[in-house]
Amino acid sequence: MNSRLIPIFDSKDFQKKLDALIDMALKEDIGERDHTSVACIPAKNKAEGRLLVKTDGIIAGIEVAKRIFKKLDKKITLDTFFKDGDEVRKGDIAFIVDGNARALHTAERLVLNIMQRMSGIATMAHHLTKLCEGTKTKILDTRKTTPGIRLLEKWAVSIGGGVNHRWGLYDMILIKDNHIHCSGGVKSAIKNAHAYLKQTKKKLEIEIEVRDFNELNQVLEMGGVQRILLDNFSPADISKAVKIIKGKYKTEASGGITESNLRKYALTGVDFISVGALTHSVTSLDLSLKIYPLE
């Protein structure tokens, strides 16, 4: 499976944020100096690093690794045998990197931390997407991400075949139960959202969460949204709700959905299934970066 090039991940703004994230991560890890590498390895020594795959999955983060290595040694060369989004097997070598030995050792842990995390997320996204094959349903991520590295985690979801939901609180209006409570009800929340958009002249999509058919009917009476999030509905109730909503708004299912019942939900015809576990409790892919001296 080849990585899809989604415009946002190729934009100048994204690249700028990625560079800032890497700079922050390197500063956090190195501090004033990598004392161990400087103490043990002569400055001019060269070395070769091999990224070994120790578990089957989807590889992700190779492009990030390239950037990390280059920041530490501009003369480093990296030969890749897979692309982000490719399936890898235990025993595969994802890439070979040659360059300054100190630089390779300094980069090792950051490269592994990022690639193992991203590959774990991409692997899970790929797996859940495969479970939905033959249906119209797409797998969505959420804002349940690790603070500071959301762009990497959402990038990994996309690499694995999932779909990115909103990136933050700034690019969409998503009215959830707490907003509804504090707005005075479903209809008030929608009215307030539209008044805000008119006042600020913002063009943002509106999605609203409903917890039962009473709230769903209120949304249908009120209108003015683009997507309805059906929270903690059973597959049978999702199927019923999708038929009621069909042709009016996009639908999303969330809550109580696991790997074992996900396909049942996908077969209801719902447009999206959001899965917080994609980024908040995924298992990292087991990778290892072995470094050998070059004569």
Side-chain angles (χ1 to χ4, degrees):
M1 186 184 81
N2 292 325
S3 175
R4 299 170 303 148
L5 185 62
I6 294 177
I8 189 170
F9 300 117
D10 198 39
S11 69
K12 289 183 179 179
D13 181 61
F14 181 84
Q15 299 301 320
K16 183 178 179 180
K17 289 178 179 177
L18 178 59
D19 274 331
L21 188 157
I22 292 171
D23 289 341
M24 176 275 296
L26 285 169
K27 184 177 181 180
E28 175 186 60
D29 205 27
I30 298 170
E32 64 175 358
R33 178 178 283 181
D34 174 5
H35 291 298
T36 310
S37 296
V38 173
C40 297
I41 305 170
K44 294 184 179 180
N45 278 23
K46 302 294 182 182
E48 175 183 280
R50 297 187 173 206
L51 189 79
L52 307 179
V53 178
K54 302 173 77 174
T55 310
D56 295 354
I58 302 297
I59 199 73
I62 291 176
E63 292 302 315
V64 186
K66 285 181 184 177
R67 194 164 300 207
I68 293 170
F69 286 127
K70 288 291 186 181
K71 279 184 176 287
L72 293 170
D73 179 5
K74 289 183 172 60
K75 295 181 179 179
I76 272 177
T77 60
L78 191 137
D79 294 322
T80 58
F81 306 108
F82 297 92
K83 301 183 297 297
D84 285 334
D86 283 347
E87 292 188 39
V88 291
R89 302 292 181 191
K90 181 179 179 180
D92 284 339
I93 297 174
F95 62 68
I96 295 177
V97 57
D98 290 347
N100 180 270
R102 285 182 180 178
L104 294 190
H105 282 82
T106 300
E108 177 212 7
R109 180 47 50 191
L110 180 56
V111 166
L112 285 174
N113 286 347
I114 287 175
M115 288 198 65
Q116 288 183 140
R117 178 75 178 159
M118 288 185 70
S119 297
I121 292 170
T123 299
M124 178 57 74
H126 175 70
H127 175 61
L128 298 183
T129 299
K130 292 286 285 184
L131 291 177
C132 295
E133 274 190 347
T135 75
K136 64 181 286 189
T137 304
K138 298 184 184 302
I139 297 296
L140 287 181
D141 56 22
T142 69
R143 283 174 50 244
K144 296 176 182 177
T145 54
T146 308
I149 62 167
R150 179 174 294 176
L151 81 168
L152 295 179
E153 293 182 338
K154 282 186 169 282
W155 191 6
V157 168
S158 178
I159 287 170
V163 175
N164 298 136
H165 203 338
R166 57 179 181 158
W167 277 76
L169 297 170
Y170 54 86
D171 58 356
M172 183 181 187
I173 290 181
L174 176 47
I175 304 169
K176 303 199 77 175
D177 56 349
N178 286 333
H179 301 104
I180 291 170
H181 293 154
C182 294
S183 296
V186 168
K187 293 184 178 181
S188 294
I190 296 173
K191 285 180 181 177
N192 292 343
H194 277 280
Y196 171 79
L197 291 178
K198 183 176 181 181
Q199 176 190 354
T200 59
K201 297 181 181 179
K202 293 283 186 182
K203 293 183 178 180
L204 300 174
E205 286 195 356
I206 298 175
E207 178 176 5
I208 188 164
E209 174 186 277
V210 299
R211 295 162 296 173
D212 52 42
F213 284 97
N214 177 44
E215 289 186 343
L216 174 58
N217 288 332
Q218 290 182 59
V219 173
L220 294 175
E221 288 173 10
M222 185 70 184
V225 301
Q226 283 72 49
R227 188 185 303 180
I228 298 176
L229 170 57
L230 304 159
D231 186 48
N232 282 302
F233 279 54
S234 68
D237 283 343
I238 289 282
S239 184
K240 180 180 176 182
V242 165
K243 289 176 182 175
I244 295 171
I245 299 167
K246 187 176 181 180
K248 300 182 180 74
Y249 310 107
K250 291 291 185 180
T251 55
E252 178 183 338
S254 182
I257 302 173
T258 64
E259 184 179 342
S260 61
N261 65 19
L262 184 140
R263 186 161 180 83
K264 287 183 180 179
Y265 279 91
L267 289 170
T268 65
V270 70
D271 294 301
F272 303 102
I273 295 175
S274 53
V275 183
L278 261 181
T279 50
H280 74 60
S281 59
V282 74
T283 300
S284 294
L285 198 70
D286 195 2
L287 304 170
S288 177
L289 183 59
K290 295 298 182 183
I291 302 174
Y292 308 93
L294 291 175
E295 294 183 357

